[in-house]
Amino acid sequence: MSTLERARCGLKAHPLALDAALAAGVLLCMVAGSFAVPREHGVTWGVRTPAVLSLLLMLIGAAALVFRRRTPRTVLAVTGAVSLIECVTGDPRAPVAMSAVVALYTVAATTDRPTTWRLGLLTMTVLTAAAMLAGPLPWYAQENLGVLAWTGIGATAGDAVRSRRAVVQAIRDRAERAERTREEEARRRVAEERLRIARDLHDVVAHHIALVNVQAGVAAHVMDKRPDQAKEALAHVREASRSALGELRATVGLLRQSGDPEAPTEPAPGLSRLEELADTFRSAGLPVAVARADQGTELPAAVDLAAYRIVQEALTNVRKHAGAEARAEVSVVRVGGGVEVTVIDDGAGEAAAPEAGGGHGLLGMRERVTALGGTLSAGPRYGGGFRVHAILPVKTTTAQGDPV
């Protein structure tokens, strides 16, 4: 950092010292100007000795400028008063009004525009009128017009500086708000993505682990007496684990795709694999009946995946909570502009509260359906069992409401 920059930073850090330096400069200019006197209508200039009163007024006006940031209106009143005295008594006149110009500039730069107009017009009018009507010079003398011009310039310059500062501050505020908005949006998207990942992993893992647990229990139970049935159960365990690994690989591949276009991906499961899904539960000992009345319906990928996951999670809950003798029915029906997915069972009463163990299955289903603009209802059936009913729109909408 250069010496000039260090000095500038030091003055900004100590505004009183900066104002004192400005006051000293203004005093020097006023004193130097007071020694010059125009001759022959301003064509030539001579040298004179200023009056003691003029020197005293200049000193008072310059000293008041030291406090121009703290009390700008008081400083304007003081400098205006000493300038008014000089306009009336000075002959020839000393440039005491320079201190009033600087004070008026400070008021205009630190207050609002209406205040600048009021105080500026008052200062200009009083000083110019006093110089023209009560001063020793003719009313049309150029020194009188100079008082009007310089006070007007001071007020105009201060107002321009204030306006520029306001514009710069508005730009900074807008940039800060935009930055905060971007950060909040980024945090919101991260939170949404975390929820989506957690929901997908739950749907993939919970279903297959539940089947593995059931089949492993069957294999352990019949290992000694029915080795053939144990082998069949272990084969189902191997198939369920292979399916779980495949779906996990597809999920991870989708997560990596934005940064790695070559990441392996597989088609997301949908209602086309509904019978295959039902077979996995049948092999685990849960009778599942499937009825469909949506043939020929082209579902968006998000709706197709959501419908599949809803059936998967609902059947998993039936297998885990409804009891060994429970049976399940799955229906998919196209109704109007949506598709209805229903899963019911006739299991024991504990199925009515599948989330009692702290799971997230029903919560994940609701999040999926809500994100697509659909509705979900889940609760016990009259006479026993549990029912999950979801209505999904065939045409999904974005956050702005435009159809996709």
Side-chain angles (χ1 to χ4, degrees), residues 68-320:
R68 68 188 187 96
R69 295 177 192 264
R70 295 185 178 181
T71 57
R73 301 190 188 190
T74 302
V75 171
L76 177 60
V78 173
T79 55
V82 297
S83 300
L84 180 62
I85 296 173
E86 177 63 20
C87 287
V88 175
T89 62
D91 186 19
R93 189 179 303 153
V96 181
M98 184 181 296
S99 61
V101 172
V102 175
L104 183 57
Y105 164 85
T106 304
V107 170
T110 56
T111 59
D112 52 30
R113 182 161 293 171
T115 303
T116 300
W117 274 95
R118 290 195 303 269
L119 297 181
L121 289 176
L122 178 62
T123 303
M124 292 168 58
T125 303
V126 171
L127 294 183
T128 304
M132 288 183 174
L133 301 179
L137 298 177
W139 69 270
Y140 53 83
Q142 64 179 4
E143 288 85 350
N144 298 335
L145 298 178
V147 173
L148 176 66
W150 282 107
T151 50
I153 291 173
T156 303
D159 184 71
V161 170
R162 180 195 55 77
S163 299
R164 181 181 179 277
R165 288 175 182 169
V167 171
V168 172
Q169 187 62 40
I171 293 174
R172 289 176 179 173
D173 293 342
R174 191 159 53 247
E176 291 177 359
R177 286 196 300 270
E179 185 64 24
R180 287 196 299 269
T181 301
R182 282 194 296 269
E183 292 176 356
E184 292 171 359
E185 179 66 16
R187 286 194 295 268
R188 185 186 64 80
R189 294 196 177 197
V190 168
E192 289 181 352
E193 188 65 12
R194 289 178 60 187
L195 285 175
R196 188 186 68 82
I197 294 172
R199 187 168 57 240
D200 288 342
L201 291 179
H202 173 273
D203 291 343
V204 171
V205 174
H207 162 63
H208 292 289
I209 294 301
L211 296 181
V212 168
N213 181 60
V214 171
Q215 296 292 353
V218 172
H221 181 69
V222 300
M223 179 67 70
D224 296 330
K225 298 181 179 180
R226 298 182 183 178
D228 294 339
Q229 188 174 354
K231 289 182 180 179
E232 182 181 354
L234 291 176
H236 289 311
V237 169
R238 184 172 58 251
E239 182 64 26
S241 61
R242 183 184 298 114
S243 298
L245 289 175
E247 291 198 32
L248 283 174
R249 188 181 301 112
T251 302
V252 173
L254 289 173
L255 294 177
R256 296 177 54 196
Q257 192 172 18
S258 60
D260 183 7
E262 302 300 325
T265 61
E266 298 178 6
L271 291 180
S272 60
R273 296 173 55 182
L274 186 56
E275 281 295 339
E276 179 182 342
L277 176 65
D279 288 338
T280 62
F281 285 97
R282 294 181 186 121
S283 65
L286 174 65
V288 179
V290 178
R292 299 189 61 175
D294 64 327
Q295 287 75 10
T297 301
E298 291 289 338
L299 296 179
V303 176
D304 201 21
L305 175 61
Y308 179 88
R309 294 300 189 198
I310 289 170
V311 174
Q312 183 184 58
E313 180 60 29
L315 292 178
T316 301
N317 285 336
V318 173
R319 189 66 189 85
K320 291 168 59 178

Side-chain angles (χ1 to χ4, degrees), residues 3 6 43 46 55 59 62 96 109 146 187 219 245 251 264 278 300-301 303 306 322 336 342 368 385:
T3 304
R6 284 197 296 270
V43 177
L55 292 175
L59 182 61
V96 181
R187 286 194 295 268
L245 289 175
T251 302
V303 176
T342 306
R368 286 184 182 277

Side-chain angles (χ1 to χ4, degrees), residues 22-34:
L22 175 64
V26 172
L27 177 61
L28 181 62
C29 292
M30 289 190 297
V31 171
S34 66

Side-chain angles (χ1 to χ4, degrees), residues 202 313-314 316-317 320-321 350-366 378 386:
H202 173 273
E313 180 60 29
T316 301
N317 285 336
K320 291 168 59 178
H321 302 284
E350 59 178 308
E355 300 301 293
H360 302 280
L362 288 180
L363 179 62
M365 284 192 283
R366 288 195 178 94
F386 202 80

